[in-house]
Short mmCIF file of all heavy atoms in Angstrom, two decimals:
data_model
loop_
_atom_site.label_atom_id
_atom_site.label_comp_id
_atom_site.label_asym_id
_atom_site.label_seq_id
_atom_site.Cartn_x
_atom_site.Cartn_y
_atom_site.Cartn_z
N ALA A 1 106.99 115.54 81.94
CA ALA A 1 107.06 114.06 81.86
C ALA A 1 106.24 113.46 80.75
O ALA A 1 106.33 112.28 80.42
CB ALA A 1 106.80 113.49 83.20
N CYS A 2 105.19 114.10 80.40
CA CYS A 2 104.19 113.69 79.39
C CYS A 2 104.74 113.35 78.08
O CYS A 2 105.84 114.13 77.77
CB CYS A 2 103.02 114.60 79.27
SG CYS A 2 102.05 114.98 80.69
N TRP A 3 104.45 112.42 77.34
CA TRP A 3 104.93 112.12 76.03
C TRP A 3 104.22 113.09 74.92
O TRP A 3 104.79 113.21 73.86
CB TRP A 3 104.87 110.63 75.61
CG TRP A 3 103.39 110.27 75.39
CD1 TRP A 3 102.59 109.59 76.25
CD2 TRP A 3 102.65 110.27 74.19
NE1 TRP A 3 101.43 109.27 75.78
CE2 TRP A 3 101.35 109.70 74.42
CE3 TRP A 3 102.89 110.85 72.93
CZ2 TRP A 3 100.29 109.72 73.51
CZ3 TRP A 3 101.79 110.87 71.90
CH2 TRP A 3 100.67 110.24 72.16
N TYR A 4 103.37 113.88 75.36
CA TYR A 4 102.87 114.95 74.58
C TYR A 4 102.91 116.25 75.36
O TYR A 4 103.23 116.29 76.57
CB TYR A 4 101.44 114.53 74.29
CG TYR A 4 100.59 114.47 75.60
CD1 TYR A 4 99.94 115.52 76.20
CD2 TYR A 4 100.34 113.20 76.11
CE1 TYR A 4 99.21 115.32 77.46
CE2 TYR A 4 99.67 113.03 77.20
CZ TYR A 4 99.05 114.14 77.96
OH TYR A 4 98.31 113.86 79.10
N GLU A 5 102.74 117.28 74.69
CA GLU A 5 102.90 118.65 75.34
C GLU A 5 101.48 119.00 75.95
O GLU A 5 100.47 118.95 75.34
CB GLU A 5 103.17 119.88 74.36
CG GLU A 5 103.36 121.25 74.98
CD GLU A 5 103.72 122.20 74.03
OE1 GLU A 5 104.01 121.85 72.76
OE2 GLU A 5 103.64 123.32 74.35
N PRO A 6 101.40 119.10 77.24
CA PRO A 6 100.06 119.39 77.98
C PRO A 6 99.81 120.88 78.00
O PRO A 6 100.74 121.80 77.81
CB PRO A 6 100.37 118.86 79.39
CG PRO A 6 101.87 119.06 79.61
CD PRO A 6 102.58 118.93 78.29
N TRP A 7 98.56 121.22 78.28
CA TRP A 7 98.29 122.50 78.65
C TRP A 7 98.89 122.81 80.00
O TRP A 7 98.99 121.88 80.81
CB TRP A 7 96.71 122.75 78.85
CG TRP A 7 95.89 122.39 77.55
CD1 TRP A 7 95.10 121.31 77.36
CD2 TRP A 7 95.77 123.26 76.51
NE1 TRP A 7 94.56 121.38 76.02
CE2 TRP A 7 94.89 122.67 75.50
CE3 TRP A 7 96.33 124.51 76.13
CZ2 TRP A 7 94.68 123.18 74.36
CZ3 TRP A 7 96.06 125.12 74.94
CH2 TRP A 7 95.10 124.42 73.98
N GLU A 8 99.38 124.06 80.18
CA GLU A 8 100.21 124.31 81.40
C GLU A 8 99.67 125.55 82.16
O GLU A 8 99.73 125.45 83.35
CB GLU A 8 101.69 124.58 80.97
CG GLU A 8 102.34 123.34 80.57
CD GLU A 8 103.82 123.44 80.56
OE1 GLU A 8 104.38 124.05 81.41
OE2 GLU A 8 104.43 123.10 79.42
N GLU A 9 98.97 126.54 81.43
CA GLU A 9 98.38 127.56 82.20
C GLU A 9 97.20 127.15 82.97
O GLU A 9 96.32 126.45 82.23
CB GLU A 9 98.19 128.82 81.21
CG GLU A 9 99.45 129.29 80.49
CD GLU A 9 100.46 129.80 81.58
OE1 GLU A 9 99.97 130.56 82.49
OE2 GLU A 9 101.63 129.64 81.35
N GLN A 10 96.88 127.68 84.10
CA GLN A 10 95.77 127.34 84.85
C GLN A 10 94.41 127.39 84.05
O GLN A 10 93.45 126.65 84.04
CB GLN A 10 95.71 127.95 86.24
CG GLN A 10 94.47 127.41 87.04
CD GLN A 10 94.72 125.99 87.48
OE1 GLN A 10 95.64 125.66 88.16
NE2 GLN A 10 93.79 125.14 87.07
N ALA A 11 94.31 128.69 83.47
CA ALA A 11 93.18 129.03 82.78
C ALA A 11 92.87 128.03 81.61
O ALA A 11 91.66 127.67 81.26
CB ALA A 11 93.18 130.52 82.09
N ASP A 12 93.95 127.64 80.92
CA ASP A 12 93.80 126.68 79.79
C ASP A 12 93.54 125.22 80.33
O ASP A 12 92.54 124.52 79.71
CB ASP A 12 95.07 126.53 79.07
CG ASP A 12 95.71 128.00 78.44
OD1 ASP A 12 94.70 128.81 78.27
OD2 ASP A 12 96.71 127.93 78.04
N ILE A 13 93.98 124.95 81.48
CA ILE A 13 93.65 123.52 82.15
C ILE A 13 92.21 123.60 82.47
O ILE A 13 91.60 122.65 82.39
CB ILE A 13 94.69 123.28 83.17
CG1 ILE A 13 96.03 122.95 82.62
CG2 ILE A 13 94.22 122.17 84.07
CD1 ILE A 13 97.21 122.85 83.53
N ASP A 14 91.74 124.69 83.03
CA ASP A 14 90.41 124.82 83.64
C ASP A 14 89.55 124.53 82.31
O ASP A 14 88.54 123.73 82.43
CB ASP A 14 90.03 126.25 83.90
CG ASP A 14 90.72 126.57 85.34
OD1 ASP A 14 91.25 125.67 85.84
OD2 ASP A 14 90.59 127.81 85.79
N LEU A 15 89.82 125.09 81.14
CA LEU A 15 88.88 124.89 79.92
C LEU A 15 89.00 123.35 79.63
O LEU A 15 87.99 122.78 79.20
CB LEU A 15 89.29 125.78 78.85
CG LEU A 15 89.03 127.21 79.11
CD1 LEU A 15 89.51 128.02 78.03
CD2 LEU A 15 87.55 127.40 79.21
N ALA A 16 90.29 122.88 79.42
CA ALA A 16 90.43 121.46 79.07
C ALA A 16 89.68 120.51 79.98
O ALA A 16 89.03 119.40 79.48
CB ALA A 16 91.96 121.14 78.92
N VAL A 17 89.98 120.66 81.23
CA VAL A 17 89.28 119.72 82.26
C VAL A 17 87.71 119.94 82.22
O VAL A 17 87.00 118.95 82.31
CB VAL A 17 89.84 120.03 83.64
CG1 VAL A 17 88.89 119.47 84.73
CG2 VAL A 17 91.22 119.65 83.87
N GLY A 18 87.33 121.27 82.13
CA GLY A 18 85.89 121.47 82.00
C GLY A 18 85.22 120.78 80.74
O GLY A 18 84.01 120.29 80.80
N TYR A 19 85.90 120.85 79.65
CA TYR A 19 85.42 120.22 78.38
C TYR A 19 85.22 118.72 78.80
O TYR A 19 84.10 118.09 78.39
CB TYR A 19 86.44 120.34 77.27
CG TYR A 19 86.00 119.71 76.03
CD1 TYR A 19 84.94 120.05 75.20
CD2 TYR A 19 86.47 118.26 75.60
CE1 TYR A 19 84.32 119.40 74.08
CE2 TYR A 19 85.95 117.64 74.63
CZ TYR A 19 84.93 118.16 73.82
OH TYR A 19 84.53 117.47 72.77
N VAL A 20 86.21 117.96 79.40
CA VAL A 20 85.99 116.45 79.65
C VAL A 20 84.99 116.29 80.61
O VAL A 20 84.07 115.50 80.52
CB VAL A 20 87.39 115.95 80.15
CG1 VAL A 20 87.10 114.47 80.51
CG2 VAL A 20 88.40 116.06 79.15
N LEU A 21 84.99 117.07 81.77
CA LEU A 21 83.99 116.80 82.84
C LEU A 21 82.57 117.28 82.39
O LEU A 21 81.66 116.77 83.04
CB LEU A 21 84.40 117.54 84.07
CG LEU A 21 85.73 117.07 84.77
CD1 LEU A 21 85.97 117.91 86.12
CD2 LEU A 21 85.54 115.67 85.02
N GLY A 22 82.45 118.12 81.30
CA GLY A 22 81.20 118.54 80.86
C GLY A 22 80.42 117.36 80.03
O GLY A 22 79.29 117.61 79.82
N ARG A 23 81.13 116.32 79.87
CA ARG A 23 80.49 115.17 79.19
C ARG A 23 79.96 114.19 80.19
O ARG A 23 80.73 113.62 80.84
CB ARG A 23 81.37 114.56 78.23
CG ARG A 23 80.55 113.37 77.36
CD ARG A 23 81.36 112.83 76.30
NE ARG A 23 80.50 111.89 75.53
CZ ARG A 23 80.43 111.79 74.24
NH1 ARG A 23 81.11 112.63 73.39
NH2 ARG A 23 79.70 110.84 73.81
N PRO A 24 78.82 114.02 80.41
CA PRO A 24 78.16 113.05 81.33
C PRO A 24 78.70 111.59 80.99
O PRO A 24 78.77 111.34 79.85
CB PRO A 24 76.66 113.25 81.22
CG PRO A 24 76.39 114.44 80.62
CD PRO A 24 77.55 114.70 79.64
N GLY A 25 78.96 110.89 82.09
CA GLY A 25 79.06 109.38 81.89
C GLY A 25 80.59 109.10 81.62
O GLY A 25 80.83 107.91 81.43
N ILE A 26 81.44 109.91 81.73
CA ILE A 26 82.84 109.52 81.50
C ILE A 26 83.74 110.03 82.73
O ILE A 26 83.22 110.93 83.47
CB ILE A 26 83.35 109.95 80.19
CG1 ILE A 26 83.48 111.61 80.15
CG2 ILE A 26 82.62 109.52 79.03
CD1 ILE A 26 84.37 112.16 78.92
N PHE A 27 84.87 109.39 82.84
CA PHE A 27 85.78 109.90 83.91
C PHE A 27 86.88 110.57 83.32
O PHE A 27 87.49 110.03 82.26
CB PHE A 27 86.37 108.57 84.63
CG PHE A 27 85.31 107.94 85.51
CD1 PHE A 27 84.49 106.81 84.90
CD2 PHE A 27 84.86 108.22 86.76
CE1 PHE A 27 83.46 106.17 85.65
CE2 PHE A 27 83.87 107.67 87.52
CZ PHE A 27 83.29 106.56 86.86
N LEU A 28 87.50 111.37 83.96
CA LEU A 28 88.80 112.06 83.69
C LEU A 28 89.93 111.48 84.48
O LEU A 28 89.88 111.63 85.77
CB LEU A 28 88.74 113.67 84.03
CG LEU A 28 90.01 114.40 83.80
CD1 LEU A 28 90.58 114.43 82.42
CD2 LEU A 28 89.75 115.83 84.32
N ASN A 29 90.74 110.67 83.89
CA ASN A 29 91.95 110.22 84.52
C ASN A 29 93.00 111.36 84.75
O ASN A 29 93.04 112.17 83.78
CB ASN A 29 92.47 108.97 83.76
CG ASN A 29 91.68 107.73 84.00
OD1 ASN A 29 90.52 107.94 84.51
ND2 ASN A 29 92.24 106.63 83.67
#
């Protein structure tokens, strides 16, 4: 449903989410 191609494999998503959450002071929507 995304207008872009998302990461789909759990291991890849773990890294992408970890990258965002690894930055203090921001929220991951």
Side-chain angles (χ1 to χ4, degrees):
C2 299
W3 65 268
Y4 55 85
E5 183 179 355
W7 298 107
E8 294 191 42
E9 298 299 320
Q10 186 67 60
D12 299 345
I13 291 171
D14 290 352
L15 292 173
V17 166
Y19 178 78
V20 176
L21 294 180
R23 182 170 182 137
I26 66 173
F27 294 92
L28 167 65
N29 285 13

